[in-house]
């Protein structure tokens, strides 16, 4: 299914290069207002204009008006990305018919530590609920946020084909393994 718009927040594709403390710090500080130092400016990632005050998003800065334009309708000010959209969608249409938290987190398409944080935040914002059994379910507010993102990105009502896992793509992140180099060892004797 083809996206009609990319007017939403996106996590950097190379988050794996950061350590866990950096990822948590950047995730927790997203949306915080920042003020440029004396004689300095931030460049808004969306409008490309210089601004004195901006909101922070994983190393990028957005003016308040640009930030507001990227927020999804009915998401209560929560900055939605395709990852949150996927998690909300998988609570309705779980992969392998298993809506257990660990299964949904593993299919989120992002590094496991970040998917854990995102599920916790979605729960705190009241978009999903977690049952004692570990299963996840979507709430009415979560359904509204899901539909809002769906309308923004695809210009239509939510359908499971919008999720990476159902488009034939494998949503689990691939972790690259370092290749061992065959070292030539010189003989001393």
């Amino acid at each position: 299914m083809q996206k009609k718009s990319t007017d939403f927040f996106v996590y950097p594709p190379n988050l794996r290069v950061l350590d866990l403390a950096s990822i948590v710090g950047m995730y927790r500080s997203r949306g915080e207002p920042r003020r440029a130092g004396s004689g300095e400016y931030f460049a808004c990632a969306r409008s490309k204009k210089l601004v004195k005050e901006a909101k922070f998003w994983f190393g990028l800065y957005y003016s308040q008006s640009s930030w507001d334009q990227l927020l999804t309708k009915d998401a209560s000010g929560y900055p939605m990305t395709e990852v949150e959209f996927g998690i909300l969608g998988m609570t309705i249409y779980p992969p392998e018919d298993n809506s257990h938290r660990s299964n949904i987190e593993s299919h989120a398409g992002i590094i496991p530590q970040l998917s854990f944080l995102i599920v916790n935040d979605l729960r705190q914002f009241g978009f999903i609920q977690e049952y004692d059994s570990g299963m996840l379910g979507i709430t009415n507010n979560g359904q509204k946020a899901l539909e809002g993102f769906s309308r923004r990105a695809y210009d239509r009502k939510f359908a499971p084909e919008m999720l990476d896992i159902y488009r034939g793509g494998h949503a689990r992140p691939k972790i690259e393994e370092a290749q061992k180099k065959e070292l030539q060892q010189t003989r001393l004797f």
Side-chain angles (χ1 to χ4, degrees):
M1 183 161 292
Q2 190 69 27
K3 287 187 194 82
K4 304 284 184 190
S5 171
T6 56
D7 241 6
F8 46 82
F9 294 99
V10 177
Y11 292 110
N14 63 339
L15 276 176
R16 286 181 194 83
V17 300
L18 299 175
D19 60 38
L20 181 58
S22 298
I23 292 171
V24 170
M26 291 179 101
Y27 182 77
R28 290 289 171 224
S29 64
R30 73 200 191 289
E32 282 182 358
R34 303 271 172 103
R35 184 153 179 70
S38 179
E40 296 179 2
Y41 290 88
F42 297 127
C44 175
R46 188 159 194 257
S47 70
K48 310 297 187 236
K49 293 181 181 177
L50 296 174
V51 293
K52 273 302 235 180
E53 292 184 23
K55 289 203 169 187
F56 180 74
W57 176 268
F58 289 88
L60 299 175
Y61 295 94
Y62 293 92
S63 66
Q64 184 65 53
S65 61
S66 292
W67 183 269
D68 292 343
Q69 290 170 359
L70 290 174
L71 290 175
T72 304
K73 182 181 179 195
D74 294 324
S76 306
Y78 186 90
M80 295 279 291
T81 70
E82 287 182 287
V83 175
E84 284 86 355
F85 174 69
I87 290 171
L88 290 173
M90 285 188 288
T91 60
I92 300 171
Y93 298 100
E96 302 149 8
D97 291 325
N98 180 0
S99 66
H100 194 273
R101 178 182 178 139
S102 61
N103 188 45
I104 289 177
E105 284 176 357
S106 71
H107 286 85
I110 196 97
I111 57 175
Q113 298 90 337
L114 189 55
S115 64
F116 178 81
L117 292 171
I118 292 169
V119 168
N120 283 346
D121 272 7
L122 290 174
R123 212 177 76 223
Q124 273 187 300
F125 271 78
F127 295 138
I128 59 176
Q129 56 190 2
E130 185 174 4
Y131 301 102
D132 291 337
S133 62
M135 300 300 198
L136 298 178
I138 196 164
T139 64
N140 288 336
N141 288 340
Q143 186 70 39
K144 288 177 187 176
L146 178 76
E147 291 298 335
F149 190 91
S150 174
R151 295 228 182 259
R152 165 153 306 172
Y154 297 96
D155 200 28
R156 59 181 286 215
K157 196 172 168 98
F158 174 73
E161 298 82 38
M162 294 174 184
L163 302 175
D164 285 340
I165 195 82
Y166 293 108
R167 285 196 305 237
H170 202 324
R172 290 183 193 218
K174 294 177 184 164
I175 298 173
E176 294 178 26
E177 290 185 25
Q179 298 294 322
K180 284 187 177 179
K181 231 181 187 180
E182 290 295 325
L183 297 175
Q184 294 275 338
Q185 194 170 22
T186 58
R187 297 183 137 215
L188 297 175
F189 301 102

